[in-house]
Amino acid sequence: MLNTLIVGATGYAGAELAAYLNRHPHMNITGLTVSAQSADAGKLLSDLHPQLKGIVDLPVLPLTDVAEAAKGVDVVFLATAHEVSHDLAPQFLAAGCVVFDLSGAFRVSKPEFYTEFYGFEHQHLDLLDKAVYGLAEWQADKLKDAQLIAVPGCYPTASQLALKPLIEKGLLNDGQWPVINATSGVSGAGRKATLGNSFCEVSLQPYKLFSHRHQPEIVEHLGVPVIFTPHLGNFPRGILATITCRLNAGVTEQDVAEAFHNAYHDKPLVRLYTKGVPALKDVVGLPFCDIGFAVKGEHLIVVATEDNVLKGASAQAVQCMNIRFGFPETQSLL
Ligand SMILES: NC(=O)C1=CN([C@@H]2O[C@H](COP(=O)(O)OP(=O)(O)OC[C@H]3O[C@@H](n4cnc5c(N)ncnc54)[C@H](OP(=O)(O)O)[C@@H]3O)[C@@H](O)[C@H]2O)C=CC1
Ligand SMILES: CC(=O)N[C@@H](CCC(=O)OP(=O)(O)O)C(=O)O
């Protein structure tokens, strides 16, 4: 059994982690924590997330002393904001824990990225070198001996799973940047109330045009430039990405199908459509990324869907943990 601590357990991602880890046969949840000042400290997780009633009835505790909280803990999940993870990860690593960070604090290697896109100066450049980017289907070898795993962002997971097989096989024409239009449910912004995310305000709208922090994350890990436009939709969960690309001359629909099949036929959490394209309703609440596509001449449209909180965050974190410790990849996820 591995002892595990979830930091940020009352957030959307943290609560899903608690559900997955609670039913994992090799994991023992030793603590669920929130910030030292949290108004929720002392409450039961299942009072805050009633879907967990009778399943995870543990109290959430304020994280006041990291060294104390880390005692006897093998694995820590940081389901916290980027700045919080940035400060906590080195402390848990120093205590000998394997750290799975769901935030953006360690995903990109260039320090200036954090100043520009996250608004803080990165203090742990050594960890930027050491962190393994947890795009699970593509990183199994590196994950096996990683100490710090930077779980990808929600939009980057869907976007990269859709594009990587095509790029690896050299099918895309580099004269046209892939154009990623992706719509997310409101849970992508976290559980805290804000005016922009309130019921009467949310509509359907693109945001952060040419300036969203997931664009450079996608570009660094795919190795090609892309145009990325996120949209906020008026539904709670899920991301649907519609990605338009140009194929190299002579590339056929069959070549595209083969590239996807070769990449994912043995990857249980990516489901390929041989007919049609996926809809959001078929992945919400599930740990999959679903991918379908259509080709017309040299033009290709790929559609990828996922639950932003699951394959886009918690499920992928648990998938990485399963790979890291040699458990079946889908253990507790399916
Ligand atoms: N939601 C999503 O779809 C996705 C989220 N992510 C990333 O995962 C992380 C968590 O996201 P999400 O669950 O949405 O966030 P939420 O805002 O819903 O939850 C954040 C959690 O962190 C706790 N917290 C805040 N400050 C601290 C602190 N100093 N120490 C310990 N706990 C703290 C909060 O509790 P309290 O404030 O009461 O202390 C709460 O439990 C973020 O980095 C996010 O960017 C990544 C991909 C997708
Ligand atoms: C709808 C919404 O607001 N989504 C969030 C992305 C959530 C996420 O994945 O956060 P990180 O990758 O930064 O951890 C956003 O656009 O900032």
Side-chain angles (χ1 to χ4, degrees):
M1 277 302 225
L2 294 172
N3 287 334
T4 187
L5 173 73
I6 303 172
V7 184
T10 62
Y12 288 134
E16 294 291 356
L17 280 172
Y20 283 139
L21 295 171
N22 181 62
R23 65 179 189 232
H24 198 293
H26 304 295
M27 304 304 286
N28 173 38
I29 299 179
T30 54
L32 302 175
T33 64
V34 285
S35 63
Q37 318 70 25
S38 176
D40 291 328
K43 295 180 186 168
L44 295 184
L45 184 65
S46 53
D47 283 341
L48 299 164
H49 291 274
Q51 77 272 21
L52 295 176
K53 272 189 184 301
I55 302 172
V56 189
D57 294 316
L58 297 168
V60 293
L61 303 172
L63 181 63
T64 47
D65 181 339
V66 174
E68 191 59 33
K71 275 192 188 143
V73 170
D74 305 296
V75 178
V76 174
F77 289 86
L78 298 177
T80 40
H82 321 290
E83 299 85 339
V84 176
S85 289
H86 167 272
D87 294 347
L88 291 179
Q91 300 180 57
F92 282 110
L93 288 167
C97 306
V98 177
V99 176
F100 294 83
D101 178 28
L102 281 70
S103 88
F106 299 96
R107 291 180 193 148
V108 170
S109 61
K110 299 177 195 70
E112 59 275 17
F113 163 81
Y114 297 92
T115 328
E116 187 178 347
F117 288 93
Y118 283 90
F120 66 85
E121 205 152 310
H122 213 290
Q123 305 296 320
H124 308 294
L125 306 190
D126 54 326
L127 293 182
L128 291 183
D129 288 338
K130 287 190 193 128
V132 169
Y133 188 66
L135 189 67
E137 279 71 17
W138 293 88
Q139 291 284 69
D141 288 347
K142 287 191 178 161
L143 282 170
K144 280 177 186 142
D145 49 19
Q147 286 300 113
L148 171 59
I149 294 88
V151 182
C154 47
Y155 290 116
T157 296
S159 305
Q160 292 178 81
L161 289 175
L163 284 168
K164 212 166 163 56
L166 309 167
I167 292 165
E168 295 284 312
K169 284 280 167 209
L171 304 187
L172 298 187
N173 183 327
D174 58 15
Q176 181 177 310
W177 295 10
V179 176
I180 304 164
N181 283 309
T183 302
S184 171
V186 187
S187 59
R191 193 159 175 260
K192 275 211 175 59
T194 63
L195 180 62
N197 294 339
S198 66
F199 188 77
C200 292
E201 297 296 321
V202 175
S203 165
L204 173 59
Q205 192 175 26
Y207 62 101
K208 295 195 177 165
L209 279 71
F210 293 119
S211 61
H212 195 281
R213 58 195 177 205
H214 286 170
Q215 194 268 356
E217 181 185 330
I218 294 168
V219 170
E220 168 159 318
H221 294 286
L222 275 185
V224 303
V226 299
I227 292 175
F228 168 64
T229 310
H231 300 63
L232 187 65
N234 66 350
F235 50 90
R237 279 168 80 141
I239 283 182
L240 184 145
T242 303
I243 307 175
T244 308
C245 327
R246 185 137 192 195
L247 297 168
N248 280 322
V251 173
T252 63
E253 189 172 338
Q254 184 62 27
D255 296 330
V256 174
E258 264 175 36
F260 280 124
H261 175 80
N262 291 340
Y264 297 130
H265 71 279
D266 57 352
K267 306 289 182 210
L269 296 182
V270 176
R271 301 190 298 194
L272 298 175
Y273 283 44
T274 49
K275 279 191 212 107
V277 290
L280 211 49
K281 68 180 177 59
D282 300 314
V283 287
V284 170
L286 295 168
F288 301 107
C289 176
D290 284 2
I291 298 176
F293 70 92
V295 171
K296 186 159 189 173
E298 291 181 358
H299 301 286
L300 165 67
I301 298 175
V302 187
V303 178
T305 55
E306 67 179 15
D307 185 318
N308 53 294
V309 186
L310 300 183
K311 182 62 173 158
S314 310
Q316 179 146 253
V318 173
Q319 185 185 4
C320 287
M321 189 273 295
N322 283 334
I323 295 169
R324 166 68 178 75
F325 291 100
F327 306 139
E329 191 165 331
T330 60
Q331 185 87 63
S332 96
L333 298 173
L334 291 178

